Amino acid sequence: MTHDLTGRLVVPLDLDGVTDKAGLMDRCARALGLPDWFGRNWDALADSLSDRTVWPEGADGRGLLLVVRGWRAFADARPEEWATAQEVFAEAAERDPALTVALAVGGSAEHLPDRAGRSDRD
């Protein structure tokens, strides 16, 4: 099954430099323009992602495509928190099919191949 993502409001969530859960929550709040009362915990994030009334302006009628970039360093540093974040993203998208969360690959210099064609993971 495929979903037509055309016309959705695209919101980048840049996690470059994020080293902990608090940083991830701050970036989510900023990227999505969440209200001041956003609780900055996993349940609050799940609720906010699946609540169209707090989505950025214009997303409610069009759908929301949240593109998560720069996530690999956080995933490597905090694998358990990253697993929880992925669960939250997936659950919210399952609750509301107008939400899609995409993990962008690449975009971080530490994971790019060197001149010999080897990455830092080889």
Side-chain angles (χ1 to χ4, degrees), residues 16-118:
D16 189 41
V18 171
T19 59
D20 59 14
K21 178 183 167 187
L24 182 136
M25 293 295 167
D26 287 343
R27 294 282 177 95
C28 288
R30 192 174 326 136
L32 293 165
L34 296 176
D36 291 338
W37 48 260
F38 169 61
R40 287 178 166 68
N41 60 59
W42 297 120
D43 289 336
L45 181 59
D47 291 344
S48 295
L49 287 170
S50 56
D51 180 356
R52 294 183 190 198
T53 66
V54 297
W55 283 6
E57 186 176 333
D60 183 25
R62 298 170 48 192
L64 177 62
L65 172 58
L66 182 64
V67 180
V68 185
R69 305 182 318 199
W71 54 270
R72 288 184 188 238
F74 179 79
D76 289 344
R78 304 284 186 153
E80 290 180 17
E81 289 179 357
W82 178 242
T84 301
Q86 289 180 89
E87 289 174 20
V88 167
F89 293 147
E91 285 177 20
E94 287 173 7
R95 283 188 207 171
D96 191 335
L99 170 68
T100 298
V101 179
L103 302 181
V105 294
S108 174
E110 73 180 72
H111 295 285
L112 295 176
D114 64 16
R115 293 176 198 241
R118 296 178 45 144

